[in-house]
Amino acid sequence: MTQKEYLSLLEESLGNINNDDKEEILFDYREHFRLGLLEGKSEEEIIKALGSPKQLAKQFKVETLIKEAETKKSLSSIIGAIMAALGLGFFNLLIGIWPFMIMLILIISLFAAAISITGMGLVSFFTSLFNFNDFFQSTGFVFYSIFTTSLGLLSLIGVYSLSKWFYDLALGYLRWNIKVIKIKN
């Protein structure tokens, strides 16, 4: 493989990364070749030191998606970054997906529980408003419904904070994963 073929394959493998990032990456690799050739290395030696252009492109795509997930915090952006990271290697596929899936299911379950508790409190409150048979029972029911609604709303706030913490944890894991892969290569 020649320098031109290497850079062409890298550019092709970068796919739909925005053009500014793509040009910056290609510029860096042209510089690697230029400096390597000035040091007297052959193109083959430089290519061997740089590694597979397809693997590099995957790493750059993951890094781009991580940056996007950091700036645009959403479930779809973090899932996109994790799915791209899973494509980096078999280890990521086996080890990386399980903690993420367990945490995602846990957070969704906690959101559902908090929404259910809040809804149950609201239904109890409105039910107690129309039940005037026993004043003391209705009053107790109103306090119970206020307590249940408050507990549900506080749970929602707690689960929201937990989901933000999980989001940052997932981004940290992805950054660490990319760093390990770069050191390994």
Side-chain angles (χ1 to χ4, degrees), residues 19 38 43 68 77 93 136 145 147 162 174:
N19 285 336
L38 285 176
E43 286 185 356
E68 187 178 305
S77 60
L93 188 61
F136 292 110
S145 62
F147 170 76
L162 182 68
L174 290 173

Side-chain angles (χ1 to χ4, degrees), residues 21-125:
D21 290 342
K22 191 184 286 187
E23 283 304 316
E24 188 178 325
I25 292 166
L26 290 172
F27 176 79
D28 286 346
Y29 279 84
R30 282 188 201 105
E31 283 297 301
H32 281 294
F33 276 103
R34 190 181 67 78
L35 294 174
L37 292 172
L38 285 176
E39 291 173 1
K41 295 178 182 173
S42 70
E43 286 185 356
E44 287 180 18
E45 290 172 324
I46 297 167
I47 289 170
K48 188 176 179 183
L50 292 176
S52 163
K54 288 184 177 181
Q55 188 66 24
L56 287 172
K58 286 181 183 177
Q59 290 175 17
F60 286 121
K61 285 180 182 177
V62 172
E63 288 177 353
T64 302
L65 289 171
I66 290 171
K67 285 179 190 171
E68 187 178 305
E70 287 172 341
T71 56
K72 181 186 161 194
K73 291 192 171 193
S74 70
L75 184 61
S76 63
S77 60
I78 192 70
I79 287 177
I82 287 173
M83 290 303 156
L86 293 177
L88 289 177
F90 189 67
F91 174 79
N92 283 354
L93 188 61
L94 284 179
I95 304 299
I97 192 79
W98 297 112
F100 175 75
M101 292 304 292
I102 290 169
M103 286 298 292
L104 185 64
I105 290 169
L106 178 69
I107 287 174
I108 289 172
S109 301
L110 290 173
F111 264 118
I115 290 170
S116 297
I117 292 169
T118 305
M120 187 174 71
L122 291 173
V123 168
S124 298
F125 179 76

Side-chain angles (χ1 to χ4, degrees), residues 20 54 57 61 64 121 128 166 176:
D20 291 339
K54 288 184 177 181
K61 285 180 182 177
T64 302
S128 66
F166 171 66
W176 171 80

